[in-house]
Every structure is written in structure tokens, then in C-alpha cells.
Amino acid sequence: MVQPEPEPQSGEDLLIARYFRPLATHPGARALVDDAATFTPPAGADLVLTTDALVGGVHFFPDDPADTIARKALRVNLSDLAAKGAKPAGFLLSLALPETLGAPWLEAFARGLGADAKDYGCALLGGDTVRTTGPLTLSITVFGTLPQGTMVARSGARPGDLVVVTGTIGDGALGLEVRRNSGTAECWRLDQRQREHLLGRYLLPQPRNALAEALRQHASAAMDVSDGLAGDLRKLCAASGVAAEIEVARVPLSEAARQALARDPALIETALTGGDDYEVVATVPAGAKDALMAEAKAAGVALTEIGIIRVDCPGVRFLDQGGKPLLFKKASFSHF
Amino acid sequence: MVQPEPEPQSGEDLLIARYFRPLATHPGARALVDDAATFTPPAGADLVLTTDALVGGVHFFPDDPADTIARKALRVNLSDLAAKGAKPAGFLLSLALPETLGAPWLEAFARGLGADAKDYGCALLGGDTVRTTGPLTLSITVFGTLPQGTMVARSGARPGDLVVVTGTIGDGALGLEVRRNSGTAECWRLDQRQREHLLGRYLLPQPRNALAEALRQHASAAMDVSDGLAGDLRKLCAASGVAAEIEVARVPLSEAARQALARDPALIETALTGGDDYEVVATVPAGAKDALMAEAKAAGVALTEIGIIRVDCPGVRFLDQGGKPLLFKKASFSHF
């Protein structure tokens, strides 16, 4: 009289089994068939935890490829771990799905997520999948580990420290402009490669996890640049009680961004205050700069010195080549 | 030339500072001004992690009070920790807010969340707040701790173990019926108190965290009952490779549920297969039953023996008073 075999399963169970169980390679994920996951922290480790939500039509375009939506959702979280000097350990995914997204979409989504989970050594440990009448909404909570008490905080910058930034700044915000308005690339006289570079940088962040250990060892403060270099650096300075002086000419720009700025110099404000960079801005004591630079080079992560920390009221001063400060209308992206 | 003081802040920063920073009492939350939180696990502990998403119009009524929405979102996660035998440690909140919800709503939401965070010893460690064009969507990731390797899994039930369940079953599903259709309470001849009992049980789960340590010490398997006792127990049996035989007459029902069933005996299916119980179903070796029952009594958690685990093909058999099996149209709630 027992219910017939094979065990009847709900649609939710089947969805999890089909798309997400193959990603749950960590034993603590228990093949996603328990209420919770387990994780045994390494002895002497702190957990570093962060969560980021992405909403269709707000953080990505609803018609962006499913695999890049998944990867972006994971990578924006990984970027936080990178800035804190933590090693990725695992993540949990909450997925609110509109009815319009069917099997092919889910299959591509899971494929992208699985590829990045593997590449970044960050296993899927659990999740929840629900229906929504609204846009696709994803929330990922990621956690990493590092030796106890060694997280790179925002609050450690000291006068005399140098300010460094990874990669290039502004590509994400400029890429969003190109994505929003197809005439933009032509207006900026971008060639095909430059256009694709900017679009790609908006679509898929490149978190700097390869630099995490070097930051942990040498940086006095760090944060990931997600809402614009100007506003994010201002937050770091506020937390540290210091001022930063940035030479705009030293801020690293991609060839595509330089081309856009050559056509419209006012775009420097977009580059410095727009979101979606997912680079790391850090401060480093002068004596540790060479070691950090050498380790960045070994890790294959471009790292550029852009300024210095001063004793002053907390804030950021961006100086042009004549030493004159730039003033921005709005320092950073905010939802509210 | 530094930007003027007081430090200009984005709307998102102000929202976090005003409503959520007062909740971030754990030092690892760093007053919500860093990219990530830290948590130092107790030596020899495993982390137990789980996440649950709630969508307005799906998991709660959009006009439910803001404080109970917040508390429900935290409690459905705490319920998972309770069933696993873990002690709550902290949580991260992702909140996708429609524009219609303003300051009074947020104030009540944060107040409810803070009250439960305090009562359950589960601190707000971080979060993300974003805009959505869709319904209010919350995702909470909660984590707890327990001695390494001692999580109560779904897979540990063995033939001869007794099946026990906390609290009363079916109130949440019956409460939802009452909430959906105002004539229902009258139809079931519920008095005011019975009606409010069922509505309250749907609105605000009572997770059984007070029983967590006793479950960890004595239960062979456990899970929280969120999608209906029948379907959830079937999942436990599938994970354990056993069959459960449940005496329907022993399943604990509230006075209100008994009144409803007296009017409409077919509601037993709603009670046994409907969601939103947030009780714990567990199995316990016969020799440990008395100890578990005594500890449940000491903890003030009602715990009722409802059946036994048998050697059979995995599944659940619900027997009526004549020993005849009940058959259900649908064993549990599923979004898909």
C-alpha cells in the first residue's frame, strides 16, 4: 500500500534534480536533498559572508543570455570576496522565476552557473526556487574563508598609503550606455572590437579573486568597485577617516574607453561615477607597494597606482592634469 | 577641496543606516558599512546553511503586516535550522522593494525583523536592498552551528524508529483557506478564537528552535514540515530508504482544525498535504523516545508520536482508524 515507485516528485524537485543537482558537487550540499547544507570551516578560519540581489530590468537586461545572467549574479558576489582577501568556499542561490522562462533558459542558466562555480572554486551548497509574477530575481549569498582576523576592511587606510585599482575603470558604465542606445557606439566611433569590449564588460564582470591573497597580505584597506570609483572610494575614505587624492590621468582606462573619451571628454564622469566595474580599489602602505605589484603581476591582474591617502576630512579629490579638482553631479549609483 | 561634510550618502546608504543598521548588533556585521560580514565559527563546529525566498502574492498576501512578513521570512529559515539540530548564528537579507513601499512599511518591517533576530539569537550580518518593478521579494540566508558531523539529516531513519511531530499539523493550510475566502470560517462554524488561531498560524510560523538540541541528540532523522506532512515525510523516507506508517488519528490537530474537520472530514487531506506548518517531523530510535519526549516537555514544545518506520519500499502510508490507507490527490505543495 506504499505509494508507487518511482518516487513521485513535485515539479520543484524535478527542476532542482535536473538543473541544479549536477552543480552540487560539494559533499556538504548533500545533493540538494536535505533542508540545509553543511560546511566544515578550516581550523582557525573566519567566514566572510556577503549577499547581492539582481533584478531583471534593473541589474541586467531581461534578454541577456541566461548563462551570463547566472555568471554575473555569482561574480558580483565573488568580487566582494576578492576585495576582502577571502578565498571562495561556497554559495546559496535564491531564484524567483517568471513562468516565461522554460527548460532551455534554465539549462543555459545552470550551465553558466556551474562553469563559474568550477572556475572560481565556489560550490553550489543550497538554494530555493520559487515562482514570481514579477521580473526574474536572483539572490546569491556567497561565503569564503581566511585566517581569523585578517579580512581586508574598508577602514584600514592610513595617510601616506598609496591608492591602487585593478583592471580598467568605466567600461561597465560605458558598456551600459552602448547597450541602451545602439547609436552610441557609432557616435563614439568605436570599432567592432571596442564596442564588444565595452558590452562584454557590462555583461560579464571579471572579479579579481586571483588577487585576493595578495590583497590580504599587503593591502591596508580595500573594497570592490560596483557603484562607481568616486562614490565607492569615498565610502572607503569615510570608513577609514581619511581623504584620497586621485590623479585622473592615472586611472586605468581601456582602449575602448579612451576612444569614447576622445570623442566626448565629459564621459570621464560616467567612467568615474558609473557602476558595474567590479574591480578592486585598495590602499597599500608605501613599503608594501612593490610586493603587491609583483604579486599582482604574477597573478595576471593589472594593478595601477592612481593616488595617495592624505590627512584631511574624509572624502575624495579627483585632480586633472593641471592639479584642478573635478566636481561630479552624482558620485555613485544608487537604487534609492 | 575635499567633498563637503556631512558625508553625502546615497538613498540606499540612508535606507540601510536608518532601518537596518540598528539591527546589526553583531560585531561581524561591521555596522553594515563593509562589503562583507565576518563570522568566527566556534572551534569544532560545522556551519549549517539554508536559504528561503518569499514572493508577495505567492508566499504571503501583499497586504499582510510588514512586521509579520519580515518575521515569516526569517522564521521559515529558522525552522530549517531547528529541524537540523543547529543553533542559529546569523542571517543575510536580500530585499527587492517595489516603489509603493515607503518609510512606514520599512520601519515596521525592520522592527519585526529585529524583534525576531533578538528572540531567536540570530543576528543580521549583511544584506542587499534593491528596487524591483515586481512584487516584494525577500530572500534570507540563515546559518547556524553545531558540533562537527552532528547535523540531523533526512537520511537517518531506520526500521523500528518512531515518527514524531511537533505542535499541530494543518493549521497553516486551513488558515490560508480562511484567509482566501472570508465565508470559510462561517462554513466551518469557527468561533472568533478558532478563526484567529488558524489565520495566525498561516501568518506567522512558530519555528521549533527550542527543540533543536534535543533533536540533535536523539533524532535519527528530521526535517521541517513546510510543504505538507505527507509529501515532506515521503521525502524523508526516500532519503532514508524506508517506509513510514502513520496513524492519522494520532496526528496532532488544533482545536480549530478539529472543528473544521468535524464540519468537513475531507479537510484531512488539506491538513496532511497543505503547506505552511513549519513544524518538525522526526524519527527517533525507540530507546531514545522517552528522553526526547522529556526534553521536548522541558523545552515547552508539544511533541506527538504519530507512527513508525517500517522495512518497505520508500513511501508513506497514512492509516485511518480502521487500518485502511488514505489516498491523496496531491501529496505536497510545489511551485512548479
Side-chain angles (χ1 to χ4, degrees), chain A residues 107-126:
Chain A
E107 203 255 315
F109 181 89
R111 191 178 58 237
L113 194 63
D116 272 6
K118 195 172 167 212
D119 286 354
Y120 289 92
C122 191
L124 176 67
L125 276 177

Side-chain angles (χ1 to χ4, degrees), chain B residues 129-142:
Chain B
T129 310
V130 297
R131 273 274 176 250
T132 181
T133 55
L136 171 68
T137 304
L138 303 92
S139 174
I140 284 185
T141 300
V142 74

Side-chain angles (χ1 to χ4, degrees), chain A:
Chain A
M1 301 312 292
V2 158
Q3 305 256 3
E5 288 303 308
E7 184 64 22
Q9 288 189 303
S10 73
E12 189 173 343
D13 292 335
L14 291 172
L15 185 152
I16 291 167
R18 180 160 174 192
Y19 300 111
F20 296 114
R21 186 160 305 149
L23 277 60
T25 52
H26 190 286
R30 295 162 181 264
L32 306 181
V33 294
D34 214 310
D35 305 76
T38 49
F39 177 76
T40 305
D46 272 353
L47 274 287
V48 175
L49 303 115
T50 183
T51 191
D52 270 310
L54 278 75
V55 177
V58 179
H59 299 85
F60 56 87
F61 290 81
D63 60 342
D64 282 347
D67 62 323
T68 58
I69 292 173
R71 295 164 81 190
K72 183 170 188 170
L74 183 55
R75 290 180 180 203
V76 301
N77 280 286
L78 287 166
S79 181
D80 284 316
L81 291 189
K84 302 293 100 181
K87 187 180 166 201
F91 73 102
L92 297 99
L93 166 72
S94 269
L95 191 58
L97 280 174
E99 277 191 17
T100 47
L101 301 177
W105 189 94
L106 274 164
E107 203 255 315
F109 181 89
R111 191 178 58 237
L113 194 63
D116 272 6
K118 195 172 167 212
D119 286 354
Y120 289 92
C122 191
L124 176 67
L125 276 177
D128 193 20
T129 310
V130 297
R131 273 273 176 252
T132 181
T133 54
L136 171 68
T137 303
L138 304 91
S139 174
I140 285 185
T141 299
V142 74
F143 64 99
T145 58
L146 41 64
Q148 274 171 23
T150 66
M151 188 183 98
V152 185
R154 289 185 185 177
S155 55
R158 295 291 169 259
D161 287 356
L162 305 170
V163 181
V164 295
V165 69
T166 61
T168 55
I169 291 296
D171 293 335
L174 296 170
L176 176 58
E177 295 293 313
V178 173
R179 179 83 163 79
R180 273 187 180 143
N181 185 336
S182 56
T184 305
E186 207 171 319
C187 175
W188 294 346
R189 305 273 167 88
L190 302 181
D191 64 27
Q192 177 73 4
R193 202 174 37 81
Q194 292 167 333
R195 187 176 155 275
E196 279 168 12
H197 171 81
L198 295 183
L199 285 171
R201 289 275 285 163
Y202 171 74
L203 196 62
L204 197 56
Q206 305 292 332
R208 304 307 180 182
N209 299 80
L211 197 65
E213 179 60 17
L215 289 168
R216 192 182 70 75
Q217 293 200 22
H218 303 297
S220 52
M223 69 183 291
D224 94 314
V225 182
S226 54
D227 294 334
L229 178 64
D232 285 341
L233 187 52
R234 195 168 64 188
K235 288 176 190 173
L236 186 148
C237 287
S240 297
V242 298
E245 194 174 276
I246 304 300
E247 292 174 61
V248 173
R250 300 179 79 174
V251 173
L253 301 174
S254 69
E255 187 208 324
R258 275 186 273 116
Q259 168 62 28
L261 265 72
R263 296 292 303 170
D264 180 359
L267 287 172
I268 188 66
E269 176 155 353
T270 305
L272 295 178
T273 67
D276 282 297
D277 284 308
Y278 299 105
E279 298 292 352
V280 176
V281 63
T283 60
V284 57
K289 189 192 96 171
D290 289 349
L292 180 61
M293 288 292 182
E295 285 175 45
K297 194 170 180 184
V301 177
L303 191 66
T304 309
E305 183 184 337
I306 59 170
I308 191 164
I309 297 297
R310 303 277 190 204
V311 184
D312 205 336
C313 299
V316 183
R317 184 160 46 165
F318 283 89
L319 302 177
D320 68 14
Q321 282 182 302
K324 258 183 34 195
L326 269 64
L327 290 176
F328 302 124
K329 287 192 287 284
K330 193 180 168 191
S332 66
F333 176 79
S334 168
H335 288 288
F336 297 91

Side-chain angles (χ1 to χ4, degrees), chain B:
Chain B
M1 302 311 293
V2 158
Q3 306 256 1
E5 288 303 306
E7 183 65 22
Q9 288 189 303
S10 73
E12 189 172 345
D13 292 335
L14 290 173
L15 186 153
I16 291 166
R18 181 160 174 194
Y19 301 111
F20 296 114
R21 185 160 307 148
L23 277 59
T25 51
H26 189 288
R30 294 162 183 266
L32 307 180
V33 293
D34 213 310
D35 304 78
T38 50
F39 177 76
T40 304
D46 272 354
L47 274 287
V48 175
L49 303 116
T50 183
T51 192
D52 270 310
L54 278 76
V55 177
V58 179
H59 299 86
F60 56 88
F61 289 82
D63 60 342
D64 282 347
D67 62 324
T68 58
I69 292 173
R71 295 164 80 191
K72 183 170 188 171
L74 183 55
R75 290 180 179 203
V76 302
N77 280 286
L78 287 166
S79 181
D80 284 316
L81 290 189
K84 302 293 100 182
K87 186 181 166 199
F91 73 100
L92 297 101
L93 166 72
S94 271
L95 191 58
L97 279 175
E99 277 192 17
T100 47
L101 300 177
W105 189 94
L106 275 164
E107 203 255 317
F109 181 89
R111 190 178 60 236
L113 195 62
D116 271 7
K118 195 173 168 213
D119 286 353
Y120 289 91
C122 191
L124 176 67
L125 276 177
D128 193 20
T129 310
V130 297
R131 273 274 176 250
T132 181
T133 55
L136 171 68
T137 304
L138 303 92
S139 174
I140 284 185
T141 300
V142 74
F143 64 99
T145 59
L146 42 64
Q148 274 171 22
T150 67
M151 188 183 99
V152 185
R154 289 185 186 176
S155 55
R158 296 291 170 259
D161 287 357
L162 305 170
V163 181
V164 294
V165 70
T166 61
T168 54
I169 292 295
D171 293 334
L174 295 171
L176 176 58
E177 294 295 312
V178 173
R179 179 82 163 80
R180 272 186 181 146
N181 186 336
S182 56
T184 305
E186 208 171 318
C187 177
W188 294 346
R189 306 269 167 92
L190 302 181
D191 63 27
Q192 177 72 3
R193 201 173 38 82
Q194 292 167 334
R195 186 176 157 275
E196 278 169 13
H197 171 81
L198 296 183
L199 285 171
R201 289 276 286 162
Y202 171 74
L203 196 61
L204 196 57
Q206 304 293 333
R208 304 306 180 183
N209 298 81
L211 197 66
E213 179 60 17
L215 289 167
R216 192 182 70 75
Q217 293 200 21
H218 303 297
S220 52
M223 70 183 290
D224 94 314
V225 183
S226 55
D227 294 335
L229 178 64
D232 285 341
L233 187 52
R234 194 167 66 189
K235 288 177 191 174
L236 185 149
C237 287
S240 297
V242 297
E245 194 173 275
I246 304 301
E247 293 173 62
V248 173
R250 300 180 78 175
V251 173
L253 300 174
S254 68
E255 188 208 324
R258 276 185 274 118
Q259 169 61 27
L261 265 72
R263 296 292 304 171
D264 180 359
L267 287 172
I268 188 66
E269 176 154 355
T270 305
L272 296 177
T273 67
D276 282 298
D277 285 308
Y278 300 105
E279 298 292 350
V280 176
V281 63
T283 60
V284 55
K289 189 193 96 171
D290 290 347
L292 180 61
M293 287 292 180
E295 286 175 45
K297 195 170 179 183
V301 177
L303 191 67
T304 309
E305 184 184 338
I306 59 170
I308 191 164
I309 297 297
R310 303 274 190 207
V311 184
D312 203 335
C313 300
V316 182
R317 185 161 43 164
F318 283 88
L319 302 178
D320 68 15
Q321 282 182 301
K324 258 182 37 194
L326 269 64
L327 290 176
F328 303 125
K329 288 193 286 285
K330 193 181 171 191
S332 67
F333 177 80
S334 168
H335 288 289
F336 297 91

